Amino acid sequence: MIRNPETDEDIFLLREKMDGKVYYFSENNFSRGERALSHLATMLKSLPRHSLLLIDEAEMTLHPKAQKRLLTYLNTFAAERQCLVILSTQSASLIKIANPKNILFLETEENGNMVCRRNVYPAAILGEMAFAEEILPETILLVEDAEAAMLLEEIVSRLKSIMTVDFPYCKILPVGGYMQVVILLDNLSRVFPDYVKRRAVLDKDAEFNLKRTAKDP
């Protein structure tokens, strides 16, 4: 880190050694997310033990994979420094991988009061997200994981190629385990209008688990 004499601000430099030479890369060439991470990493180095760390908008325009690595790092950091880390996010990627025991879900009741719910499954929270910034699909297909999403996308693609009528605009969402898919399917009825069809496409092994769950008292 160096001081910019023109703006009197700190500039972060990334030092890399390549082919026997040392190169410095200025944060001015970084993306917004990379800049935020550089500042956060520098601040964490000097953070005292037993501190309280608050991070707003933890996704910071990061790629979903980078978001997951950030959460893993913060969990390790908090354990080593014995710190309490609280972060806010609207990222589905972070919500899906978070431990439900560590989630604080802020919700506005009908009377306008704000309540904090604990022990909420990630699927239930995702069901509350209205996806307002996206164009509403005609059909939402919920699957368990990314692999299932890829297979279903291929099936949909082949159906589109052989159908003589327009195929409905659908959105395929990988959610998690089969039970999370079921929970989210139920919650989506409170989020989307009736004209948006909602379907769950589960793996074959979910059939046995669902039958067993239904038989349990």
Side-chain angles (χ1 to χ4, degrees):
M1 184 171 61
I2 64 173
R3 176 74 65 174
N4 187 336
E6 296 182 359
T7 62
D8 197 34
E9 295 179 346
D10 291 331
I11 298 179
F12 289 84
L13 298 178
L14 179 64
R15 184 179 184 274
E16 291 289 342
K17 188 174 182 180
M18 296 182 293
D19 299 327
K21 297 181 180 180
V22 176
Y23 296 88
Y24 292 89
F25 300 91
S26 169
E27 70 168 303
N28 293 330
N29 298 319
F30 296 171
S31 67
R32 181 181 175 185
E34 290 171 335
R35 289 187 183 186
L37 285 181
S38 298
H39 288 256
L40 176 61
T42 302
M43 184 272 293
L44 291 179
K45 289 181 180 180
S46 59
L47 193 69
R49 294 173 65 86
H50 308 292
S51 295
L52 170 62
L53 177 63
L54 304 177
I55 304 177
D56 186 30
E57 299 291 343
E59 54 269 22
M60 296 184 291
T61 68
L62 295 173
H63 187 278
K65 290 184 178 180
Q67 295 176 27
K68 294 178 181 180
R69 289 196 296 268
L70 174 61
L71 182 59
T72 299
Y73 174 79
L74 290 174
N75 284 331
T76 302
F77 175 85
E80 292 177 349
R81 295 287 187 92
Q82 298 182 0
C83 294
L84 176 61
V85 179
I86 300 177
L87 55 88
S88 68
T89 184
Q90 298 182 43
S91 167
S93 298
L94 290 177
I95 293 172
K96 285 191 293 185
I97 65 173
N99 186 335
K101 295 181 180 180
N102 296 332
I103 293 179
L104 302 175
F105 180 43
L106 299 180
E107 185 178 30
T108 303
E109 296 182 319
E110 294 182 358
N111 58 12
N113 293 333
M114 180 73 72
V115 296
C116 180
R117 293 168 54 190
R118 303 196 64 176
N119 297 319
V120 182
Y121 280 97
I125 296 176
L126 293 174
E128 299 290 342
M129 297 173 63
F131 307 101
E133 296 180 357
E134 299 183 8
I135 300 175
L136 287 179
E138 295 172 300
T139 303
I140 297 176
L141 302 175
L142 305 179
V143 296
E144 296 184 41
D145 49 40
E147 289 75 13
M150 292 176 59
L151 290 173
L152 189 55
E153 286 174 357
E154 181 64 24
I155 294 174
V156 170
S157 177
R158 295 192 180 187
L159 286 175
K160 288 181 179 179
S161 66
I162 63 175
M163 289 183 64
T164 57
V165 296
D166 290 337
F167 195 86
Y169 170 47
C170 64
K171 187 77 172 179
I172 301 174
L173 301 177
V175 177
Y178 78 93
M179 187 54 68
Q180 288 185 308
V181 173
V182 173
I183 294 173
L184 180 55
L185 182 65
D186 179 62
N187 279 274
L188 286 181
S189 63
R190 297 183 295 167
V191 177
F192 291 99
D194 293 337
Y195 68 82
V196 179
K197 297 180 180 179
R198 302 166 295 276
R199 299 290 184 270
V201 182
L202 301 175
D203 295 350
K204 182 65 177 178
D205 58 356
E207 181 179 0
F208 170 76
N209 293 325
L210 288 173
K211 289 182 179 179
R212 184 180 62 182
T213 302
K215 293 180 179 178
D216 292 339

